[in-house]
Amino acid sequence: QRSLDMSLITRYGGFWGMLPETSGRVFWVAPSATYTVEGRSYPSSDNNDGLSPERALRTVDYAVGLTTANVGDVIVLLPGSHSITATIAVDVAGITIVGIPGDAPLPGNRSNSGSVRRRSSITSTQTAGIIFTVSVDDIEIAYLDLQPPAAGGRGISVNTAADRLFVHDCSII
């Protein structure tokens, strides 16, 4: 399996090539029950291990539960609109949650925001609520369009005890 994981990183370049370098695991989450990678269709499920794009998990919340605190685990949201019906509790310290960027930004450079920059979004179908509630330290959230509910919704809520939240290259619509 090690050679399979390395071939995926090579095949997709460095994000699928711009994945954060990590000594932890990378969990993949699909935007729907069936999704396409490299022209092939796959079923997503929280019964999958999520350790490759071809075996993606179905929900971000389940992926958070599979991560291990402070070892550098990364959750990658495959391109598309991920719909949620409840707030995602980010309660495992030291994880990264990222979407797939639409272009390859250079270190230190920032470009205009917009859909060209991000291919992954999270849309809340709650009547009111929050997409992410962060209650732990050292969380990174990047390359996502966050679409909270229109009535009183927020993209991210942070507990006062949570330190070092790094949010970048996101938009809240």
Side-chain angles (χ1 to χ4, degrees):
Q1 178 166 345
R2 180 73 176 152
S3 61
L4 173 64
D5 292 340
M6 293 308 294
S7 68
L8 290 171
I9 292 173
T10 302
R11 179 177 349 149
Y12 294 115
F15 196 9
W16 211 289
M18 288 190 50
L19 285 173
E21 292 182 21
T22 181
S23 58
R25 296 174 296 171
V26 177
F27 294 97
W28 300 82
V29 180
S32 57
T34 59
Y35 63 101
T36 303
V37 172
E38 293 189 330
R40 292 184 179 167
S41 182
Y42 298 95
S44 66
S45 171
D46 285 342
N47 291 322
N48 291 346
D49 64 14
L51 296 175
S52 82
E54 290 88 353
R55 298 187 312 271
L57 299 166
R58 179 63 192 100
T59 61
V60 179
D61 190 56
Y62 191 80
V64 170
L66 291 177
T67 60
T68 301
N70 299 314
V71 298
D73 284 354
V74 176
I75 297 170
V76 179
L77 278 65
L78 289 164
S81 181
H82 297 254
S83 182
I84 63 167
T85 57
T87 299
I88 299 166
V90 182
D91 54 2
V92 180
I95 66 172
T96 299
I97 302 171
V98 296
I100 303 293
D103 60 2
L106 299 173
N109 290 342
R110 296 281 184 234
S111 64
N112 294 333
S113 64
S115 60
V116 171
R117 293 275 296 160
R118 291 166 300 283
R119 293 183 179 155
S120 304
S121 65
I122 299 179
T123 302
S124 175
T125 60
Q126 304 172 82
T127 55
I130 300 163
I131 293 179
F132 291 113
T133 298
V134 178
S135 60
V136 293
D137 297 342
D138 302 314
I139 300 298
E140 179 180 3
I141 299 172
Y143 299 110
L144 292 171
D145 282 323
L146 303 176
Q147 300 175 19
R154 293 181 293 184
I156 301 170
S157 175
V158 182
N159 182 304
T160 57
D163 291 326
R164 297 174 302 280
L165 170 64
F166 184 47
V167 178
H168 62 92
D169 294 293
C170 291
S171 64
I172 299 176
I173 300 171

